[in-house]
Amino acid sequence: QVQLVESGGGSVQSGGSLNLSCVVTGNPDNIYLMGWFRQAPEKEAEGLAAIDTDDTASYAESVKGRFTISRDNIKSTMYLQMNDLTPEDTAVYYCAADFQEYHTVVVVRTIPLFTYRGQGTQVTVSS
């Protein structure tokens, strides 16, 4: 049973930074395409960034240049470094994983549909 556990959320002021982590347990044999998505109140889930098993990253336009996704396969951990945060970034952030073989092309907006997801971590940015 694959489980994803996020950490690192919190409250920051506009312009601040946070680094989210996601630990994969249960079957962390590095076969997964992994990603982050977020959901704000009364808004649809938004795919943010994905990283494949070759460490190739893809980003949504809304976070490109501000967020950086990375993974440490030895630690079975994925990260999302978020810089220059604004109040519009306030949301619950989720990590997600899917089998790499299902995705010949990575489409960031599909991250909310991945097979596995964590419980989410709240990020609040104040002005």
Side-chain angles (χ1 to χ4, degrees):
Q1 180 74 14
V2 175
Q3 291 187 322
L4 309 177
V5 180
E6 304 97 337
S7 62
S11 298
V12 296
Q13 291 190 329
S14 186
S17 298
L18 285 173
N19 189 25
L20 305 183
S21 299
C22 173
V23 177
V24 183
T25 61
N27 188 17
D29 58 0
N30 306 322
I31 61 173
Y32 302 110
L33 170 67
M34 299 191 69
W36 293 92
F37 70 95
R38 66 188 177 191
Q39 187 153 24
E42 301 182 358
K43 291 188 177 180
E44 291 187 359
E46 178 188 13
L48 301 175
I51 186 165
D52 69 15
T53 53
D54 292 327
D55 285 347
T56 298
S58 304
Y59 296 94
E61 286 299 320
S62 61
V63 302
K64 193 176 292 185
R66 298 190 301 126
F67 292 9
T68 302
I69 190 171
S70 61
R71 65 194 293 170
D72 182 334
N73 290 330
I74 294 175
K75 296 181 179 179
S76 298
T77 303
M78 176 180 63
Y79 305 95
L80 186 68
Q81 175 65 43
M82 305 187 296
N83 298 327
D84 194 22
L85 289 163
T86 73
E88 288 68 37
D89 294 314
T90 295
V92 179
Y93 284 68
Y94 299 86
C95 67
D98 208 352
F99 296 99
Q100 180 71 68
E101 64 187 23
Y102 293 170
H103 301 266
T104 54
V105 176
V106 176
V107 180
V108 172
R109 67 176 181 271
T110 68
I111 294 172
L113 303 176
F114 282 12
T115 302
Y116 304 105
R117 64 168 61 181
Q119 81 288 350
T121 185
Q122 177 70 46
V123 171
T124 302
V125 185
S126 58
S127 57

PDB file of all heavy atoms in Angstrom, residues 78-94:
ATOM      1  N   MET A  78      10.023  13.692  -2.131  1.00  0.00           N
ATOM      2  CA  MET A  78       9.893  14.727  -3.152  1.00  0.00           C
ATOM      3  C   MET A  78       9.745  16.072  -2.448  1.00  0.00           C
ATOM      4  O   MET A  78       9.207  16.130  -1.333  1.00  0.00           O
ATOM      5  CB  MET A  78       8.663  14.458  -4.029  1.00  0.00           C
ATOM      6  CG  MET A  78       8.374  15.507  -5.071  1.00  0.00           C
ATOM      7  SD  MET A  78       6.932  15.137  -6.073  1.00  0.00           S
ATOM      8  CE  MET A  78       5.620  15.156  -4.856  1.00  0.00           C
ATOM      9  N   TYR A  79      10.190  17.119  -3.105  1.00  0.00           N
ATOM     10  CA  TYR A  79      10.157  18.443  -2.502  1.00  0.00           C
ATOM     11  C   TYR A  79       9.511  19.454  -3.452  1.00  0.00           C
ATOM     12  O   TYR A  79       9.504  19.276  -4.673  1.00  0.00           O
ATOM     13  CB  TYR A  79      11.579  18.929  -2.185  1.00  0.00           C
ATOM     14  CG  TYR A  79      12.369  17.977  -1.336  1.00  0.00           C
ATOM     15  CD1 TYR A  79      13.234  17.046  -1.918  1.00  0.00           C
ATOM     16  CD2 TYR A  79      12.255  17.992   0.055  1.00  0.00           C
ATOM     17  CE1 TYR A  79      13.961  16.161  -1.139  1.00  0.00           C
ATOM     18  CE2 TYR A  79      12.986  17.110   0.842  1.00  0.00           C
ATOM     19  CZ  TYR A  79      13.835  16.200   0.238  1.00  0.00           C
ATOM     20  OH  TYR A  79      14.552  15.327   1.016  1.00  0.00           O
ATOM     21  N   LEU A  80       9.001  20.518  -2.866  1.00  0.00           N
ATOM     22  CA  LEU A  80       8.529  21.662  -3.642  1.00  0.00           C
ATOM     23  C   LEU A  80       9.016  22.922  -2.944  1.00  0.00           C
ATOM     24  O   LEU A  80       8.504  23.290  -1.883  1.00  0.00           O
ATOM     25  CB  LEU A  80       7.011  21.687  -3.774  1.00  0.00           C
ATOM     26  CG  LEU A  80       6.470  22.779  -4.701  1.00  0.00           C
ATOM     27  CD1 LEU A  80       6.870  22.489  -6.156  1.00  0.00           C
ATOM     28  CD2 LEU A  80       4.948  22.902  -4.592  1.00  0.00           C
ATOM     29  N   GLN A  81      10.026  23.538  -3.515  1.00  0.00           N
ATOM     30  CA  GLN A  81      10.521  24.804  -2.991  1.00  0.00           C
ATOM     31  C   GLN A  81       9.687  25.919  -3.592  1.00  0.00           C
ATOM     32  O   GLN A  81       9.618  26.062  -4.812  1.00  0.00           O
ATOM     33  CB  GLN A  81      11.993  24.991  -3.357  1.00  0.00           C
ATOM     34  CG  GLN A  81      12.576  26.337  -2.950  1.00  0.00           C
ATOM     35  CD  GLN A  81      12.625  26.519  -1.447  1.00  0.00           C
ATOM     36  OE1 GLN A  81      12.988  25.601  -0.706  1.00  0.00           O
ATOM     37  NE2 GLN A  81      12.246  27.701  -0.971  1.00  0.00           N
ATOM     38  N   MET A  82       9.058  26.706  -2.730  1.00  0.00           N
ATOM     39  CA  MET A  82       8.153  27.757  -3.184  1.00  0.00           C
ATOM     40  C   MET A  82       8.707  29.103  -2.742  1.00  0.00           C
ATOM     41  O   MET A  82       8.883  29.353  -1.547  1.00  0.00           O
ATOM     42  CB  MET A  82       6.759  27.545  -2.596  1.00  0.00           C
ATOM     43  CG  MET A  82       6.177  26.172  -2.886  1.00  0.00           C
ATOM     44  SD  MET A  82       4.462  25.998  -2.369  1.00  0.00           S
ATOM     45  CE  MET A  82       4.624  26.188  -0.588  1.00  0.00           C
ATOM     46  N   ASN A  83       8.988  29.947  -3.713  1.00  0.00           N
ATOM     47  CA  ASN A  83       9.530  31.277  -3.443  1.00  0.00           C
ATOM     48  C   ASN A  83       8.572  32.353  -3.925  1.00  0.00           C
ATOM     49  O   ASN A  83       7.685  32.095  -4.732  1.00  0.00           O
ATOM     50  CB  ASN A  83      10.886  31.440  -4.135  1.00  0.00           C
ATOM     51  CG  ASN A  83      11.930  30.476  -3.650  1.00  0.00           C
ATOM     52  OD1 ASN A  83      11.955  30.085  -2.477  1.00  0.00           O
ATOM     53  ND2 ASN A  83      12.799  30.052  -4.551  1.00  0.00           N
ATOM     54  N   ASP A  84       8.777  33.565  -3.414  1.00  0.00           N
ATOM     55  CA  ASP A  84       7.994  34.722  -3.844  1.00  0.00           C
ATOM     56  C   ASP A  84       6.486  34.434  -3.765  1.00  0.00           C
ATOM     57  O   ASP A  84       5.739  34.675  -4.712  1.00  0.00           O
ATOM     58  CB  ASP A  84       8.390  35.116  -5.270  1.00  0.00           C
ATOM     59  CG  ASP A  84       7.886  36.489  -5.657  1.00  0.00           C
ATOM     60  OD1 ASP A  84       7.602  37.300  -4.749  1.00  0.00           O
ATOM     61  OD2 ASP A  84       7.740  36.747  -6.876  1.00  0.00           O
ATOM     62  N   LEU A  85       6.085  33.903  -2.632  1.00  0.00           N
ATOM     63  CA  LEU A  85       4.682  33.534  -2.448  1.00  0.00           C
ATOM     64  C   LEU A  85       3.792  34.759  -2.363  1.00  0.00           C
ATOM     65  O   LEU A  85       4.202  35.826  -1.864  1.00  0.00           O
ATOM     66  CB  LEU A  85       4.543  32.683  -1.182  1.00  0.00           C
ATOM     67  CG  LEU A  85       5.114  31.265  -1.298  1.00  0.00           C
ATOM     68  CD1 LEU A  85       5.307  30.649   0.080  1.00  0.00           C
ATOM     69  CD2 LEU A  85       4.213  30.393  -2.146  1.00  0.00           C
ATOM     70  N   THR A  86       2.576  34.604  -2.855  1.00  0.00           N
ATOM     71  CA  THR A  86       1.568  35.666  -2.808  1.00  0.00           C
ATOM     72  C   THR A  86       0.300  35.109  -2.149  1.00  0.00           C
ATOM     73  O   THR A  86       0.136  33.880  -2.040  1.00  0.00           O
ATOM     74  CB  THR A  86       1.218  36.175  -4.209  1.00  0.00           C
ATOM     75  OG1 THR A  86       0.441  35.187  -4.884  1.00  0.00           O
ATOM     76  CG2 THR A  86       2.476  36.474  -5.024  1.00  0.00           C
ATOM     77  N   PRO A  87      -0.616  35.974  -1.727  1.00  0.00           N
ATOM     78  CA  PRO A  87      -1.866  35.465  -1.135  1.00  0.00           C
ATOM     79  C   PRO A  87      -2.622  34.528  -2.072  1.00  0.00           C
ATOM     80  O   PRO A  87      -3.369  33.649  -1.593  1.00  0.00           O
ATOM     81  CB  PRO A  87      -2.644  36.748  -0.861  1.00  0.00           C
ATOM     82  CG  PRO A  87      -1.584  37.767  -0.594  1.00  0.00           C
ATOM     83  CD  PRO A  87      -0.477  37.427  -1.565  1.00  0.00           C
ATOM     84  N   GLU A  88      -2.438  34.677  -3.378  1.00  0.00           N
ATOM     85  CA  GLU A  88      -3.111  33.798  -4.333  1.00  0.00           C
ATOM     86  C   GLU A  88      -2.591  32.363  -4.266  1.00  0.00           C
ATOM     87  O   GLU A  88      -3.199  31.450  -4.824  1.00  0.00           O
ATOM     88  CB  GLU A  88      -2.953  34.329  -5.756  1.00  0.00           C
ATOM     89  CG  GLU A  88      -3.767  35.590  -6.074  1.00  0.00           C
ATOM     90  CD  GLU A  88      -3.273  36.805  -5.311  1.00  0.00           C
ATOM     91  OE1 GLU A  88      -2.042  36.942  -5.132  1.00  0.00           O
ATOM     92  OE2 GLU A  88      -4.125  37.633  -4.889  1.00  0.00           O
ATOM     93  N   ASP A  89      -1.476  32.148  -3.596  1.00  0.00           N
ATOM     94  CA  ASP A  89      -0.925  30.800  -3.425  1.00  0.00           C
ATOM     95  C   ASP A  89      -1.523  30.084  -2.220  1.00  0.00           C
ATOM     96  O   ASP A  89      -1.208  28.915  -1.976  1.00  0.00           O
ATOM     97  CB  ASP A  89       0.596  30.867  -3.267  1.00  0.00           C
ATOM     98  CG  ASP A  89       1.286  31.362  -4.530  1.00  0.00           C
ATOM     99  OD1 ASP A  89       0.944  30.876  -5.623  1.00  0.00           O
ATOM    100  OD2 ASP A  89       2.173  32.230  -4.414  1.00  0.00           O
ATOM    101  N   THR A  90      -2.371  30.755  -1.470  1.00  0.00           N
ATOM    102  CA  THR A  90      -2.995  30.135  -0.307  1.00  0.00           C
ATOM    103  C   THR A  90      -3.902  28.989  -0.745  1.00  0.00           C
ATOM    104  O   THR A  90      -4.785  29.164  -1.578  1.00  0.00           O
ATOM    105  CB  THR A  90      -3.811  31.178   0.483  1.00  0.00           C
ATOM    106  OG1 THR A  90      -2.931  32.164   1.014  1.00  0.00           O
ATOM    107  CG2 THR A  90      -4.573  30.516   1.616  1.00  0.00           C
ATOM    108  N   ALA A  91      -3.648  27.797  -0.186  1.00  0.00           N
ATOM    109  CA  ALA A  91      -4.403  26.600  -0.571  1.00  0.00           C
ATOM    110  C   ALA A  91      -3.921  25.425   0.270  1.00  0.00           C
ATOM    111  O   ALA A  91      -2.931  25.539   1.005  1.00  0.00           O
ATOM    112  CB  ALA A  91      -4.204  26.291  -2.051  1.00  0.00           C
ATOM    113  N   VAL A  92      -4.600  24.310   0.130  1.00  0.00           N
ATOM    114  CA  VAL A  92      -4.085  23.043   0.639  1.00  0.00           C
ATOM    115  C   VAL A  92      -3.271  22.412  -0.483  1.00  0.00           C
ATOM    116  O   VAL A  92      -3.749  22.297  -1.614  1.00  0.00           O
ATOM    117  CB  VAL A  92      -5.215  22.097   1.084  1.00  0.00           C
ATOM    118  CG1 VAL A  92      -4.632  20.777   1.571  1.00  0.00           C
ATOM    119  CG2 VAL A  92      -6.048  22.745   2.182  1.00  0.00           C
ATOM    120  N   TYR A  93      -2.045  22.058  -0.160  1.00  0.00           N
ATOM    121  CA  TYR A  93      -1.129  21.485  -1.140  1.00  0.00           C
ATOM    122  C   TYR A  93      -1.033  19.981  -0.936  1.00  0.00           C
ATOM    123  O   TYR A  93      -0.842  19.500   0.181  1.00  0.00           O
ATOM    124  CB  TYR A  93       0.249  22.130  -1.010  1.00  0.00           C
ATOM    125  CG  TYR A  93       0.300  23.515  -1.604  1.00  0.00           C
ATOM    126  CD1 TYR A  93      -0.403  24.568  -1.016  1.00  0.00           C
ATOM    127  CD2 TYR A  93       1.021  23.780  -2.761  1.00  0.00           C
ATOM    128  CE1 TYR A  93      -0.378  25.842  -1.565  1.00  0.00           C
ATOM    129  CE2 TYR A  93       1.057  25.055  -3.319  1.00  0.00           C
ATOM    130  CZ  TYR A  93       0.343  26.079  -2.718  1.00  0.00           C
ATOM    131  OH  TYR A  93       0.369  27.335  -3.265  1.00  0.00           O
ATOM    132  N   TYR A  94      -1.135  19.262  -2.049  1.00  0.00           N
ATOM    133  CA  TYR A  94      -1.099  17.805  -2.026  1.00  0.00           C
ATOM    134  C   TYR A  94       0.034  17.279  -2.899  1.00  0.00           C
ATOM    135  O   TYR A  94       0.296  17.830  -3.980  1.00  0.00           O
ATOM    136  CB  TYR A  94      -2.398  17.226  -2.578  1.00  0.00           C
ATOM    137  CG  TYR A  94      -3.651  17.594  -1.825  1.00  0.00           C
ATOM    138  CD1 TYR A  94      -4.337  18.776  -2.102  1.00  0.00           C
ATOM    139  CD2 TYR A  94      -4.167  16.743  -0.848  1.00  0.00           C
ATOM    140  CE1 TYR A  94      -5.492  19.113  -1.418  1.00  0.00           C
ATOM    141  CE2 TYR A  94      -5.329  17.071  -0.159  1.00  0.00           C
ATOM    142  CZ  TYR A  94      -5.983  18.251  -0.452  1.00  0.00           C
ATOM    143  OH  TYR A  94      -7.132  18.571   0.224  1.00  0.00           O
TER     144      TYR A  94
END
